[in-house]
Amino acid sequence: MDCLFCRIVSGEVPATKVFENERLIAFNDINPAAPLHLLVVPREHVATLNALESRHDALVGEMTRVAAMLAEERGYAERGYRAVLNCNSDAGQTVFHIHLHVLAGRRLGWPPG
Ligand code: 5GP
Ligand code: ZN
């Protein structure tokens, strides 16, 4: 399958990994939009949020908890951070393997552009 994040999961494409376990990896975004910009990615290929099934509930929960853990480890728990899942074109999804963005280190505008 021609999927960039599957290639990062397999190690075929390098990334600066900051966390991994049996189900997830997290790595630095190549084009950071904030001083901290991590992507938390399941090893399983799920193209968009639209493809989630009930069997993924624990996986998505773990993605969120790992995002919070990584932000906390880096000192952003108190001042805050944002965790974002983009789905399809109106949200600007460009890589069709779900990933949770973790953004921190600057004031983030709301509503998003
Ligand atoms: P999306 O727009 O799909 O929500 O987010 C995709 C993210 O993947 C973008 O923030 C983009 O900078 C990041 N990205 C794209 N290609 C690569 C890559 O080869 N390596 C890494 N580490 N991040 C990538
Ligand atoms: Zn994939």
Side-chain angles (χ1 to χ4, degrees), residues 13-112:
V13 169
T16 309
K17 282 186 203 165
V18 298
F19 176 86
E20 61 184 316
N21 69 15
E22 309 80 60
R23 295 165 297 280
L24 303 175
I25 68 169
F27 50 86
N28 289 325
D29 196 292
I30 205 167
N31 183 25
L36 179 74
H37 189 169
L38 305 177
L39 301 173
V40 181
V41 177
R43 291 187 185 275
E44 179 183 342
H45 180 85
V46 179
T48 77
L49 295 190
N50 296 330
L52 286 173
E53 300 173 6
S54 57
R55 69 185 176 84
H56 295 118
D57 287 0
L59 180 68
V60 175
E62 188 173 20
M63 288 167 68
T64 308
R65 185 180 56 75
V66 166
M69 180 192 79
L70 294 171
E72 199 275 337
E73 278 178 6
R74 286 157 181 73
Y76 294 110
E78 290 306 317
R79 61 182 288 193
Y81 55 92
R82 186 167 293 162
V84 179
L85 293 157
N86 292 321
C87 182
N88 278 341
S89 60
D90 270 6
Q93 185 176 3
T94 58
V95 177
F96 290 88
H97 178 137
I98 60 169
H99 47 280
L100 183 57
H101 294 260
V102 186
L103 299 149
R106 67 174 174 83
R107 188 84 187 170
L108 297 162
W110 191 266

